[in-house]
Amino acid sequence: MPKKWSYDRTYFFDEGIQFECQGCGVCCTGSPGTVYVDKSEIACIAEFLGISVPDFTKKYLYPYKNSHTIREDSEWRCLFYDNGCEIYPVRPMQCRTFPFWFDNLRSEEKWKRISQECPGIGCGPLYSKERILEIVQPTFVI
Ligand code: SF4
């Protein structure tokens, strides 16, 4: 596992990775997950849905760390997944950055595992090593 991400280091994704979401919903369903939402994301999604932040929080969230996570149904399906993401234009950063998460990129073995689950990996535009590092570590400075 890399101690610190660096443009100078070599990674299994040095040549980049192709990715384009196929909308299958595998990452939004099927097993327990945590979808962290911060205060600004909560306000944004509530506005998109046309409900108040307190009502949105009560209906769709439960407390997690210093904010909240989106609730799932009894089959571990995100409450906003119904044959597609119902809040796609305002989906949380965690969803926007999948599958380029620290935990998925920390080893090639982990990446191979997530690649078997996500059919979007290997399709579409090429994400360069630099772009991937920006996504996995947004505060990264060259
Ligand atoms: S598993 Fe991959 S292809 Fe399917 S919805 Fe998630 S990101 Fe898109």
Side-chain angles (χ1 to χ4, degrees):
M1 173 187 129
K3 285 200 170 91
K4 191 173 178 203
W5 300 100
S6 164
Y7 289 118
D8 298 329
R9 293 184 56 144
T10 295
Y11 300 99
F12 68 87
F13 53 86
D14 277 357
E15 302 306 315
I17 295 173
Q18 277 180 277
F19 171 70
E20 186 167 60
C21 178
Q22 306 296 300
C24 69
V26 163
C27 61
C28 323
T29 61
S31 58
T34 302
V35 180
Y36 178 82
V37 278
D38 67 18
K39 285 189 173 43
S40 67
E41 290 173 324
I42 291 170
C44 195
I45 300 168
E47 185 181 357
F48 180 79
L49 295 172
I51 60 176
S52 70
V53 167
D55 284 351
F56 172 65
T57 303
K58 193 173 169 191
K59 191 169 179 190
Y60 294 107
L61 307 179
Y62 60 80
Y64 179 71
K65 293 193 173 173
N66 64 344
S67 188
H68 291 80
T69 177
I70 294 177
R71 289 173 48 202
E72 297 160 310
D73 69 13
S74 58
E75 296 177 335
W76 308 117
R77 174 182 296 260
C78 173
L79 289 187
F80 293 113
Y81 186 82
D82 184 13
N83 208 19
C85 176
E86 294 178 330
I87 57 167
Y88 193 80
V90 291
R91 65 199 186 284
M93 182 59 70
Q94 186 176 322
C95 305
R96 287 177 191 276
T97 56
F98 184 84
F100 299 112
W101 292 349
F102 175 86
D103 201 45
N104 293 338
L105 290 164
R106 62 199 301 172
S107 73
E108 191 166 7
E109 189 189 350
K110 284 241 177 192
W111 185 258
K112 279 183 183 155
R113 206 175 308 153
I114 200 72
S115 300
Q116 286 171 353
E117 296 171 13
C118 170
I121 296 173
C123 301
L126 184 72
Y127 285 65
S128 68
K129 170 186 177 181
E130 289 74 19
R131 179 74 187 114
I132 293 168
L133 289 174
E134 281 170 12
I135 294 170
V136 74
Q137 189 166 293
T139 54
F140 198 87
V141 179
I142 300 176

